[in-house]
Amino acid sequence: MSLNDPALGFSHQKPKVRIVVSVLWCLVVLLAFLTSWTAGVAASGTGGSITDRTPSYPFILVGTFLLSLVALIVDITTAKVRDDKAGWSVLRLFGSLGLGLSAGTGAHAASLKSFPAWWIPIMVLLSIGILCLPAGLARLMQRHESKRKS
């Protein structure tokens, strides 16, 4: 039986589940980017509160939180189908949010030409490292298992 067999149902088809989970995490990065960008725009204005200057900010903030929660739950519940560990989901959450927030802050700082912002590249690289850590450790564990079996 193929892994793409329609009789298995969607939640048991490994390639499709991987695509859905990847798209959800990419959307989390995008919404975190928009949240950070919007907060920067609102903070650079004068008068009133952040929501007065940028009325969409609470909706973007809540949307980022809810989408992060949904992505985390979907990632945890489909980990076995994707041959992954459920514990990596928390690292993906922190990495995705960190990458989106630091990239949004960096883009806003670059648009205002408010440099030096030396910490922004460090945060982006740290977030990418956090996102790559599960895949690297999984490959290392697989390599260790294959060497032990042979």
Side-chain angles (χ1 to χ4, degrees), residues 29 90-100 126-128 130-131:
V29 171
V90 176
L91 281 176
R92 284 189 193 98
L93 174 69
F94 288 127
S96 299
L97 287 174
L99 181 61
L126 180 66
S127 299
I128 290 172
I130 289 171
L131 287 172

Side-chain angles (χ1 to χ4, degrees), residues 21 25 28-29 72 75-76 79 82 84-98 130-131 134-135:
V21 169
W25 286 121
V28 167
V29 171
L72 183 67
D75 198 320
I76 289 171
R82 294 178 289 114
D84 199 5
K85 296 195 183 311
W88 299 130
S89 303
V90 176
L91 281 176
R92 284 189 193 98
L93 174 69
F94 288 127
S96 299
L97 287 174
I130 289 171
L131 287 172

